[in-house]
Amino acid sequence: MAFETPQRPSLPGAFLQTPAAPRIPPPAFQLVSRPPQQQNTSTSQQIGRPGEAPARPEAPKDVTPSDRARDTINESLTREKATPPLDEYLSQGYSSEYEINSTGAWTPFQRTRTYRFPNQIFDQYNRAELSTGMGLFAELNHAWVSIDNALYLWDYTVPNPQLVGFEEQSNNITAVTLARPKEGVFLPSITHLIVVATTAEIFLLGLGKEASQNGGEQLALFQTGMAVSIKGLNVSAIASSTKSGRIFFGGTTENHVYELQYQNEERWFLGRCVKKNHTFGWSASFTPSFAIRQRPTEYVEQMVVDDTRSLLWTLSSESAIRCFHMTPDGGLNLTINCSSSRIYENVSHILPASQNFNSRNRIVSISTISGEEGLRFHLVAVTQNGYRIFLSATRPGGWGFSSDASSPPTSMGAQHVKLPPAEDQGSRNSQLENTGRLLQYTSSASLPTRAATRYAPGYFFFLDSRSDRVCITTIDPGLLPRRMTESQPPRSRENTMWVDLGGRAEYMGQCQVYEPPFREPQGFANELAVQFDKKPVEVAILTNNGVHVLRRRRLVDSFAQVYREGGGDEGRTGELRKMVRVYGREETLTTALAVACGLGVEFANDVDAVQVRDPDVLAFARTAFIELGGKPTVTETLDPKNPIDTVKPSPRHDAIATFVSRILRSTWKTLIAKEQRTSTGIYSVVSSIPMEKLRMTAQNLASLSDFFKTNRNFIDGLSGPDETRAATRQEEVALQGENRALNCLVKLVEKAIEALNFVQMMFEERVEELLPLLAEPTRPLFLRLTYEALFTSEEGFKIAKELVKAIVNRNIAKGSNVETVAETLRRRCGQFCSADDVVIFKAQELLKRATEAGGDSEYGRNLLNESLILFQSIAGSLPWDYLESTVKQYTALQFFAGALELILRITQSHDPTGEAEAYVRDGMPGEDGRKTYYDYRQQCYDLVHDVVNTVDQISTTIQGRQSLTGRRKDEAYDIIATSNDRIFLTNLYDWYLSQGWTDRLLATDSAFIVPYLEKKEQTDPAHADLLWQYYSGKRRPHDAARVQLQLAKSGFHFSLAKRIGYLSQANTNVQTQVPGANRRNLQILRSELTEFLDVANLQDDLLQRLRSESRLVGEERIQVLGELDGPVQSATELYNKYLHALPYHDLNLLLYAIADYRLSTDIATAWELYLETLENEASADSSVAPWELIANSVRDLYPRLISSSPVYFPLIVLLPRLLRRDHTAYRAEGAPQHWILELFLSLSPPLTYESIFAVLETMYYSNEAPFVGAAKRELAAEIVALVGLWYERSLASIGRGGVGAEALMGGREEWNRVEELCQKMIEERVLGQEERGVVRRVREGVGRYGW
């Protein structure tokens, strides 16, 4: 069959069930559930208009599928709060709208079981003499009968139950009530109290559980010894407060309200149990009552307690209603006393009096309306004709009050009147719809009622005083959140049915109470929100033929029954259309989906509820869900940046979200675990939700997942956006948005199933023993973890992974088969225990077995190697904590090589594309995603450091096992040596240096050492020092010299002396002969080094001069000395900045030599100025003669100049100048004869005799002053002295080193020149006798050689 899908208007929000607003923003991740933030808006603004979704701002840019699913579920949970409170849909006035269904799919309740009385009860009944009574303890599934003085209980749900009786008192029983005890009075095993009133006393029986004969549990009665006399009261009404444990009662002889006060010990003037009259005065509790007292005309007929407001309400036999405020200090204050006439007078402005509604109609029952249901309504009173009067108790300042308020209500008024429904036989004021159901809009009918009870959130049970029938009316939860339209029934409409019990009803009670989705008026009555999460309400009615159990029919159950009673395809289609019109498309689809997933139940022939598995019913629900699903829509204008975010998913999507949120409602915001301690102090961690509830939730989600898999291809958007079906761009975007939204929900369902399975497995362990196995920061996070966070957050996933590890580790420690445990985890919750996790657990088990076998045994080493292979196989996904613990265990077992190999393998697997190396290569920018790879590597390398430290310690401390230890050490260092990971080696070498292990670094034989040090030397002089030391150690002196030269040139903060030291060492290294060296490169290096060393020495000379310069003071001195005692400056800089303005002419000469500046005039000038400077210094210092100072200075300066070129030591300038000064000044000051010749001949490298003779020869022939006339004799004496020395020196050299006579006096040609000059001086008579003797001796000596 096919269903028509109503066309959706193009304007978003125009269709009745189409929320047009965007989704609510996603909440921030939280481990602890918390209420939504308060805003300065009204309740209706917070919830939104009924039937519409809350406003959704634009979705964030960065949202994961889990975030989207979480937001969708939270939005669905928020929408469930759209159901208005009782105050809102029952406004001031009256109403009389009912839909009557006594049979069929739409009846509000269905009778599920009828339990007959056991035969033992009839046996006891037949022995009754005076009185009998009966009632229910429905919450315990027990019934009771009182027969004269005996009380009997039995579990009416058990065939042939065992009676629990109490016969230890002799008075006839008049009333029995179940109560909750005060906290701390009884033992914890006493969970309830039975309040028993007799003709003589009222007493308490404890009710608890004890083991039964069949191994189960059964109720047992315990005498408390708490009783008080009530003679003459004839107690018939008893009420108790569940919250405080207080017990109130009244009798048929008077209209007073008594309290049974009990405590666990006696006090002054108070026994363990007393009664107190709260309406007659405190002294009445001590005043005995006598039966002969005249019976009052009015008495207490009913008592009810409102624990949410701390109020006690009483109804008298005259229909008067009183309200008492239960104060925290144990008081009971009468605040309202309203007679029947005043109540009807107050109602008259709402509903005029009529035959069936006037002051003569007695009020037969009252029921409280809790503060959780509404703030304005407090009580509902039911008249004998079935009229319901909703009353409000007020106080100055507004409606209601809190339970500890200082000002209780002081007045009461009627707010609404509900007319009784017409009987199901029909009425003239009723009109029949096409479905055959009776819809009544006005009524003046009477419903004769002898008693009535209201149960939250709005179920009324009327006991017909004319028959054995009960009339039931209920709210319709599907109508409440809907917007009122002309085509819809009013929200105050109630569903009505009559049930024939076949016997007189004596008592009613709830076996299963209503559990609201919200503990506040807004959303309290939304039964649909909990229909998949909580048990339906069940009411037990006790009649004289047994106990009848009526179960609230859920909408999902009605939907399943529609197929059976729908009247063919046409009838079923009509029912579905009506559901869409009345309940909305989303609710109809949610219900259909629930039935299709098997959540519908049915009852038949007094059997337990069974799931609807009829294939026809399931197919009907599946078809309805698929064909009525609607379509997604988009806004008129697409957002070009994020067009999918403008899509409003289809009602089908919203129905799925609603269905999932209802299944997960109890778990979503709930903590997974809670801590508790027993009375003996035993600590434990237990599940916050019962295991059975978790199993049921997982089962329901699994059914939904199966439905998705089976029908994926039939559900639009679930199998993927079919763009070929899109006629426009908007339709294409709509399909894409629908696909994204649906798939987010599908993934959430799958995650939730596995997460629930995991939680169940976790609590099969002792969780309190798992907690210590978690990391310290994780423990409090786990105890604050909610199911929402576990299902949707990354933090929850991480905590679950930690727990999986703890479970496996605990089983390994216990010796369990870890493979079995791991496989079970992987099968049931694969997202928390992947295939890689299974491998990890297997490897861990091997490691544990290796530990037990010992690391030194062959078997243990084999196990270690096997575990290493497993760990390496999943290196890319091995979590850090596993790596850290494994490395520690490997190290403890001295499996050093395995530990290092595993670490290095993992660093490569985590960064297969070399992101860390690229990050380092790019200069390690601050904000860079690659930094995470680099940081992870550094963490891993820290583990390497630990292993290396342990290796070194063990190798030096273990005695007697050096061979084994040494082998393991070598294995470990082989792993390091063979690594080609630049990041690792850089980290390792850095760590070596941080530990001060420079010798270890220099001894390392690795190709990466040189690149490492070369890279580091650019920024760190220590690494540069290590580099040249490494070169020297590897017999590479030329490379060492190159590094030393670079250090001397570098911009590091070195002193000039240190730079000269580097240059001197480099100069030494560069002179070392190395086979195979490149001569050209070596020559270039030597040249550069020599030049730089000369400049450095010159700069050092200048620095030393300036340090002793007294004229350089203050900041200028600091600046100049600082500049010079640093980097070596160029010769040009030294001259321009310093030397050209300073009287350091010797330094200028050195500068000329270094710069290869050869202008002879400048050189001669510099020498002249230098010699003058020396003379001036000598004249200023009387301790030194000028000639001495000059000789010493020239002797020091000469080798530094002559090494560059002889041009910088111009003999032709210096010798004449010194001889002239010697003649004019020095000789007179005591200069020794021939000191100038001795100076020049003592220089090293020595000057040649030929060069000195040539200068003297020129001077002699030139006849320049002052050597003219007699003064020429001095010059001749110098020449003869030179010739004599020359002859002796040359004569001594003959015969040594292969030198022959031809070298005498520089050779024959040179001798001829000497001979010629000597003859000239003899002829000019300038030689003295001594000089002539020298010439004669030289001539004779030369002559002997034939010259």
Side-chain angles (χ1 to χ4, degrees):
M1 87 183 167
F3 302 115
E4 294 181 3
T5 301
Q7 294 297 317
R8 188 183 297 274
S10 60
L11 179 61
F15 191 74
L16 187 60
Q17 281 79 43
T18 306
R23 297 186 184 277
I24 59 174
F29 167 76
Q30 56 189 22
L31 286 178
V32 182
S33 59
R34 61 186 181 194
Q37 295 181 355
Q38 296 295 322
Q39 301 177 354
N40 295 326
T41 57
S42 65
T43 302
S44 61
Q45 288 173 326
Q46 292 176 356
I47 305 304
R49 296 173 63 185
E52 289 190 358
R56 312 182 208 174
E58 181 181 354
K61 307 295 182 186
D62 227 356
V63 192
T64 66
S66 293
D67 293 336
R68 296 184 189 280
R70 179 198 62 212
D71 300 341
T72 301
I73 297 303
N74 283 327
E75 177 187 341
S76 295
L77 292 173
T78 303
R79 278 206 310 270
E80 301 282 22
K81 219 172 184 180
T83 299
L86 178 64
D87 310 342
E88 187 174 324
Y89 67 83
L90 286 185
S91 57
Q92 189 168 12
Y94 70 93
S95 59
S96 61
E97 298 84 19
Y98 297 92
E99 183 175 3
I100 302 174
N101 295 278
S102 291
T103 60
W106 298 105
T107 54
F109 276 82
Q110 55 184 334
R111 180 159 31 189
T112 60
R113 287 272 195 164
T114 299
Y115 300 98
R116 301 303 176 184
F117 291 128
N119 294 329
Q120 303 97 304
I121 294 299
F122 293 111
D123 294 341
Q124 296 294 334
Y125 226 83
N126 293 332
R127 301 193 185 104
E129 295 180 358
L130 296 177
S131 64
T132 60
M134 64 175 58
L136 289 173
F137 299 152
E139 62 183 283
L140 302 177
N141 291 329
H142 275 62
W144 60 268
V145 295
S146 62
I147 301 174
D148 296 336
N149 65 325
L151 177 66
Y152 300 100
L153 311 178
W154 75 95
D155 185 347
Y156 58 78
T157 64
V158 177
N160 301 318
Q162 180 180 356
L163 292 183
V164 179
F166 179 77
E167 301 174 342
E168 283 76 18
Q169 63 92 27
S170 57
N171 302 304
N172 286 341
I173 297 173
T174 60
V176 177
T177 297
L178 189 68
R180 289 295 181 105
K182 291 181 180 179
E183 186 176 353
V185 176
F186 301 99
L187 294 174
S189 58
I190 304 298
T191 58
H192 295 78
L193 295 177
I194 299 179
V195 186
V196 182
T198 68
T199 55
E201 63 180 2
I202 185 170
F203 60 89
L204 301 179
L205 294 176
L207 191 61
K209 291 184 178 181
E210 64 179 9
S212 62
Q213 296 178 354
N214 58 9
E217 289 184 336
Q218 65 179 12
L219 291 182
L221 296 177
F222 302 91
Q223 292 198 50
T224 64
M226 294 182 177
V228 67
S229 174
I230 54 169
K231 289 184 179 180
L233 290 183
N234 194 23
V235 172
S236 60
I238 306 175
S240 66
S241 168
T242 301
K243 182 174 69 174
S244 64
R246 298 175 68 176
I247 300 172
F248 305 96
F249 61 91
T252 59
T253 59
E254 58 188 19
N255 200 27
H256 291 305
V257 175
Y258 292 87
E259 180 177 358
L260 180 63
Q261 297 180 336
Y262 58 97
Q263 54 196 15
N264 55 3
E265 59 182 10
E266 295 185 359
R267 300 178 186 174
W268 287 101
F269 302 107
L270 285 175
R272 293 181 62 208
C273 185
V274 297
K275 76 174 186 292
K276 180 177 182 180
N277 188 335
H278 286 285
T279 53
F280 187 70
W282 181 82
S283 60
S285 60
F286 296 97
T287 304
S289 299
F290 300 98
I292 61 175
R293 193 170 49 182
Q294 183 179 0
R295 179 178 176 180
T297 58
E298 187 178 11
Y299 61 89
V300 177
E301 192 171 75
Q302 186 185 1
M303 290 181 171
V304 290
V305 172
D306 181 359
D307 272 327
T308 61
R309 300 184 177 96
S310 297
L311 298 179
L312 170 68
W313 298 88
T314 66
L315 175 65
S316 75
S317 58
E318 299 296 328
S319 298
I321 297 176
R322 289 181 293 178
C323 176
F324 297 86
H325 179 219
M326 299 182 291
T327 61
D329 59 358
L332 188 71
N333 301 325
L334 176 63
T335 60
I336 298 174
N337 189 354
C338 192
S339 64
S340 173
S341 58
R342 286 181 55 191
I343 294 173
Y344 278 102
E345 180 182 353
N346 186 264
V347 174
S348 61
H349 72 283
I350 298 175
L351 184 67
S354 64
Q355 179 181 358
N356 295 325
F357 187 73
N358 55 65
S359 59
R360 293 185 300 276
N361 296 128
R362 192 169 62 89
I363 297 176
V364 297
S365 294
I366 57 174
S367 297
T368 61
I369 299 174
S370 72
E372 295 176 344
E373 296 184 64
L375 299 177
R376 186 169 59 178
F377 294 145
H378 294 65
L379 192 73
V380 58
V382 183
T383 70
Q384 66 184 32
N385 288 326
Y387 285 76
R388 286 170 282 170
I389 305 172
F390 290 84
L391 302 168
S392 293
T394 61
R395 62 168 178 168
W399 302 105
F401 62 100
S402 60
S403 59
D404 58 350
S406 58
S407 55
T410 57
S411 60
M412 183 174 66
Q415 296 295 323
H416 189 89
V417 176
K418 195 78 172 177
L419 279 65
E423 296 191 36
D424 55 349
Q425 288 86 351
S427 171
R428 69 170 182 261
N429 293 326
S430 303
Q431 65 189 95
L432 195 65
E433 291 188 344
N434 57 2
T435 61
R437 282 177 285 168
L438 200 61
L439 186 61
Q440 178 182 344
Y441 289 101
T442 60
S443 174
S444 58
S446 172
L447 176 60
T449 304
R450 57 185 175 89
T453 302
R454 179 188 184 274
Y455 300 116
Y459 312 141
F460 282 90
F461 288 75
F462 301 86
L463 299 184
D464 195 331
S465 59
R466 302 167 303 177
S467 66
D468 294 336
R469 295 190 309 167
V470 59
C471 177
I472 305 173
T473 66
T474 66
I475 60 172
D476 193 333
L479 287 177
L480 297 182
R482 305 276 292 158
R483 294 182 298 179
M484 295 297 295
T485 64
E486 294 181 359
S487 62
Q488 288 183 335
R491 291 187 294 181
S492 60
R493 188 199 73 179
E494 292 184 334
N495 295 328
T496 305
M497 66 177 295
W498 272 262
V499 179
D500 190 351
L501 300 176
R504 178 181 173 83
E506 299 292 341
Y507 194 90
M508 290 181 292
Q510 282 185 293
C511 311
Q512 179 64 48
V513 299
Y514 175 65
E515 298 183 63
F518 305 99
R519 291 288 179 180
E520 57 183 279
Q522 189 73 39
F524 180 90
N526 190 356
E527 296 179 75
L528 300 177
V530 294
Q531 62 177 327
F532 312 132
D533 182 51
K534 304 294 184 181
K535 293 181 178 179
V537 171
E538 288 187 346
V539 177
I541 303 177
L542 178 67
T543 68
N544 55 12
N545 61 9
V547 179
H548 302 261
V549 177
L550 282 73
R551 183 178 188 266
R552 173 64 163 151
R553 189 189 291 272
R554 304 174 301 169
L555 184 59
V556 65
D557 302 330
S558 297
F559 187 98
Q561 194 66 20
V562 160
Y563 180 82
R564 306 184 190 280
E565 303 174 357
D569 289 346
E570 185 177 350
R572 297 179 190 119
T573 302
E575 290 287 345
L576 286 175
R577 288 175 178 167
K578 186 171 298 181
M579 283 188 67
V580 172
R581 186 178 71 251
V582 175
Y583 297 113
R585 181 183 296 272
E586 179 183 326
E587 195 62 57
T588 303
L589 291 171
T590 302
T591 305
L593 179 60
V595 175
C597 292
L599 269 64
V601 298
E602 57 187 354
F603 295 84
N605 301 324
D606 273 355
V607 297
D608 292 332
V610 294
Q611 287 185 310
V612 177
R613 296 297 186 188
D614 187 336
D616 294 335
V617 176
L618 300 182
F620 170 70
R622 169 186 171 277
T623 303
F625 176 77
I626 293 175
E627 297 191 6
L628 291 177
K631 295 181 180 180
T633 58
V634 295
T635 57
E636 291 296 326
T637 304
L638 291 177
D639 183 354
K641 295 183 179 179
N642 298 286
I644 299 181
D645 291 339
T646 62
V647 174
K648 168 64 178 72
S650 66
R652 178 189 294 108
H653 164 271
D654 294 341
I656 295 174
T658 301
F659 182 55
V660 174
S661 68
R662 289 176 179 177
I663 293 177
L664 295 175
R665 168 172 289 280
S666 293
T667 59
W668 187 251
K669 296 290 185 182
T670 306
L671 293 176
I672 293 175
K674 62 181 179 181
E675 300 175 286
Q676 65 180 23
R677 289 189 181 274
T678 64
S679 57
T680 58
I682 298 176
Y683 171 79
S684 63
V685 178
V686 299
S687 174
S688 299
I689 297 176
M691 287 293 103
E692 182 58 35
K693 175 63 179 176
L694 292 180
R695 281 191 289 272
M696 183 59 66
T697 302
Q699 180 180 336
N700 291 340
L701 290 176
S703 298
L704 178 60
S705 180
D706 292 341
F707 178 83
F708 287 148
K709 294 174 183 177
T710 304
N711 300 281
R712 176 177 294 274
N713 295 331
F714 304 101
I715 299 176
D716 291 343
L718 192 57
S719 58
D722 187 358
E723 299 177 0
T724 60
R725 298 168 48 196
T728 64
R729 171 59 178 162
Q730 283 193 335
E731 291 184 10
E732 179 183 339
V733 171
L735 288 173
Q736 293 172 353
E738 177 82 353
N739 174 254
R740 184 181 71 176
L742 288 179
N743 277 285
C744 289
L745 290 177
V746 171
K747 291 178 181 178
L748 172 65
V749 170
E750 294 171 352
K751 288 183 178 179
I753 293 171
E754 293 194 359
L756 292 170
N757 289 335
F758 165 70
V759 172
Q760 295 176 62
M761 287 194 65
M762 178 183 70
F763 282 108
E764 291 173 2
E765 307 281 335
R766 291 181 58 84
V767 179
E768 58 273 12
E769 295 180 4
L770 296 178
L771 278 181
L773 302 179
L774 299 178
E776 188 70 31
T778 306
R779 298 172 196 171
L781 295 179
F782 165 67
L783 294 174
R784 296 196 299 268
L785 182 65
T786 64
Y787 282 93
E788 176 189 9
L790 178 63
F791 296 161
T792 63
S793 73
E794 184 64 26
E795 281 296 321
F797 177 78
K798 291 178 180 178
I799 294 173
K801 295 282 284 186
E802 286 276 337
L803 288 166
V804 168
K805 185 183 72 172
I807 292 172
V808 175
N809 287 339
R810 182 170 180 270
N811 280 274
I812 291 176
K814 289 165 52 179
S816 303
N817 187 334
V818 68
E819 188 170 354
T820 303
V821 176
E823 285 295 339
T824 303
L825 284 166
R826 189 184 65 81
R827 186 177 63 256
R828 294 183 59 183
C829 43
Q831 66 170 322
F832 302 121
C833 183
S834 63
D836 286 350
D837 292 330
V838 175
V839 175
I840 293 173
F841 300 147
K842 291 178 181 178
Q844 279 188 302
E845 185 179 29
L846 291 174
L847 184 52
K848 178 178 180 293
R849 290 163 56 190
T851 304
E852 295 170 350
D856 294 335
S857 66
E858 182 180 357
Y859 178 62
R861 302 306 280 192
N862 291 336
L863 290 174
L864 288 173
N865 285 311
E866 291 178 19
S867 69
L868 176 62
I869 293 172
L870 289 177
F871 279 127
Q872 288 178 325
S873 67
I874 43 88
S877 58
L878 185 66
W880 169 256
D881 51 350
Y882 282 105
L883 171 62
E884 189 175 29
S885 63
T886 301
V887 169
K888 289 180 179 179
Q889 293 180 72
Y890 278 171
T891 305
L893 295 172
Q894 297 186 24
F895 191 41
F896 307 124
L900 295 174
E901 189 175 349
L902 177 61
I903 296 170
L904 297 181
R905 172 68 67 85
I906 284 177
T907 58
Q908 293 296 329
S909 299
H910 273 265
D911 184 15
T913 58
E915 297 294 328
E917 187 170 353
Y919 173 67
V920 173
R921 189 167 55 248
D922 293 344
M924 302 175 67
E927 298 295 332
D928 197 306
R930 298 172 296 181
K931 186 176 184 297
T932 57
Y933 293 98
Y934 177 81
D935 292 340
Y936 181 80
R937 280 178 174 256
Q938 300 306 306
Q939 277 187 295
C940 293
Y941 299 150
D942 288 342
L943 297 180
V944 173
H945 304 165
D946 296 339
V947 175
V948 172
N949 277 327
T950 305
V951 170
D952 293 343
Q953 293 170 4
I954 290 179
S955 65
T956 58
T957 57
I958 296 182
Q959 301 296 326
R961 298 177 57 190
Q962 290 300 317
S963 59
L964 178 60
T965 304
R967 185 168 67 250
R968 291 176 179 172
K969 180 178 180 180
D970 292 342
E971 291 173 353
Y973 278 106
D974 284 345
I975 297 296
I976 294 176
T978 56
S979 174
N980 57 1
D981 185 344
R982 287 178 172 269
I983 303 298
F984 163 62
L985 293 176
T986 299
N987 174 275
L988 180 69
Y989 298 154
D990 286 344
W991 180 63
Y992 280 173
L993 296 179
S994 69
Q995 301 297 310
W997 297 343
T998 54
D999 293 341
R1000 175 176 292 187
L1001 178 66
L1002 296 176
T1004 301
D1005 189 10
S1006 171
F1008 185 69
I1009 284 286
V1010 172
Y1012 165 76
L1013 293 176
E1014 285 179 343
K1015 181 178 181 181
K1016 295 284 187 178
E1017 72 165 339
Q1018 305 298 324
T1019 56
D1020 186 1
H1023 287 82
D1025 270 335
L1026 289 174
L1027 180 58
W1028 72 258
Q1029 292 176 38
Y1030 180 81
Y1031 281 141
S1032 297
K1034 298 300 180 182
R1035 300 184 182 276
R1036 298 168 61 180
H1038 298 165
D1039 291 328
R1042 189 175 294 106
V1043 175
Q1044 290 164 336
L1045 176 58
Q1046 291 173 354
L1047 277 171
K1049 290 183 174 181
S1050 68
F1052 297 131
H1053 296 291
F1054 291 154
S1055 67
L1056 183 60
K1058 188 169 185 179
R1059 295 177 189 273
I1060 294 175
Y1062 281 130
L1063 292 171
S1064 300
Q1065 291 174 325
N1067 193 41
T1068 302
N1069 285 325
V1070 82
Q1071 304 302 326
T1072 305
Q1073 297 296 324
V1074 178
N1078 188 313
R1079 293 184 179 183
R1080 181 175 180 276
N1081 293 338
L1082 183 59
Q1083 186 59 38
I1084 294 173
L1085 176 61
R1086 286 174 178 171
S1087 175
E1088 181 182 5
L1089 182 60
T1090 300
E1091 180 180 348
F1092 202 75
L1093 180 58
D1094 290 341
V1095 176
N1097 287 327
L1098 175 63
Q1099 183 172 326
D1100 186 57
D1101 291 339
L1102 178 60
L1103 175 63
Q1104 302 308 322
R1105 297 280 181 90
L1106 290 178
R1107 280 177 176 169
S1108 60
E1109 181 62 66
S1110 60
R1111 292 171 295 178
L1112 186 63
V1113 296
E1115 294 183 359
E1116 184 180 6
R1117 178 183 180 87
I1118 296 173
Q1119 179 183 353
V1120 170
L1121 295 182
E1123 290 176 354
L1124 290 174
D1125 193 15
V1128 178
Q1129 303 181 33
S1130 67
T1132 302
E1133 288 177 323
L1134 290 175
Y1135 181 80
N1136 292 332
K1137 292 173 66 175
Y1138 309 104
L1139 291 178
H1140 82 285
L1142 293 174
Y1144 303 144
H1145 305 296
D1146 56 336
L1147 300 185
N1148 277 329
L1149 288 169
L1150 292 173
L1151 181 64
Y1152 292 161
I1154 293 170
D1156 198 22
Y1157 182 72
R1158 302 194 177 206
L1159 188 60
S1160 59
T1161 55
D1162 288 348
I1163 295 172
T1165 302
W1167 270 109
E1168 181 65 30
L1169 293 173
Y1170 179 52
L1171 293 175
E1172 288 181 4
T1173 301
L1174 292 176
E1175 290 174 351
N1176 294 335
E1177 290 179 5
S1179 63
D1181 185 3
S1182 59
S1183 63
V1184 59
W1187 60 270
E1188 290 178 341
L1189 181 60
I1190 290 174
N1192 292 331
S1193 299
V1194 170
R1195 191 177 289 111
D1196 292 339
L1197 184 60
Y1198 169 75
R1200 298 174 65 183
L1201 293 175
I1202 204 67
S1203 62
S1204 297
S1205 173
V1207 71
Y1208 302 108
F1209 193 82
L1211 188 62
I1212 195 171
V1213 174
L1214 294 176
L1215 185 57
R1217 200 275 183 191
L1218 289 176
L1219 288 172
R1220 286 193 297 271
R1221 289 295 295 167
D1222 181 62
H1223 172 74
T1224 58
Y1226 304 153
R1227 188 67 59 85
E1229 295 175 1
Q1233 190 178 12
H1234 309 310
W1235 71 268
I1236 297 175
L1237 288 180
E1238 292 176 358
L1239 169 64
F1240 284 107
L1241 291 175
S1242 65
L1243 295 177
S1244 178
L1247 293 173
T1248 63
Y1249 288 91
E1250 292 89 335
S1251 61
I1252 298 174
F1253 177 81
V1255 175
L1256 292 175
E1257 180 186 29
T1258 303
M1259 290 178 65
Y1260 187 85
Y1261 286 123
S1262 62
N1263 291 318
E1264 293 181 1
F1267 298 108
V1268 293
K1272 204 170 185 179
R1273 290 178 179 272
E1274 293 182 12
L1275 180 60
E1278 294 293 332
I1279 294 172
V1280 172
L1282 175 65
V1283 170
L1285 293 173
W1286 190 359
Y1287 169 74
E1288 291 176 359
R1289 181 66 177 269
S1290 61
L1291 184 64
S1293 63
I1294 295 175
R1296 291 185 304 178
V1299 178
E1302 64 275 6
L1304 186 66
M1305 297 299 291
R1308 185 178 297 275
E1309 183 178 351
E1310 193 66 32
W1311 164 248
N1312 291 334
R1313 288 178 57 200
V1314 173
E1315 172 65 19
E1316 182 180 351
L1317 181 58
C1318 288
Q1319 185 61 36
K1320 178 72 172 174
M1321 290 186 294
I1322 292 172
E1323 292 175 353
E1324 292 182 358
R1325 299 179 184 274
V1326 293
L1327 296 178
Q1329 182 177 357
E1330 183 179 354
E1331 285 82 11
R1332 288 196 300 271
V1334 171
V1335 171
R1336 186 182 312 114
R1337 181 167 48 85
V1338 171
R1339 283 177 174 176
E1340 290 175 353
V1342 172
R1344 285 196 291 268
Y1345 288 95
W1347 291 2

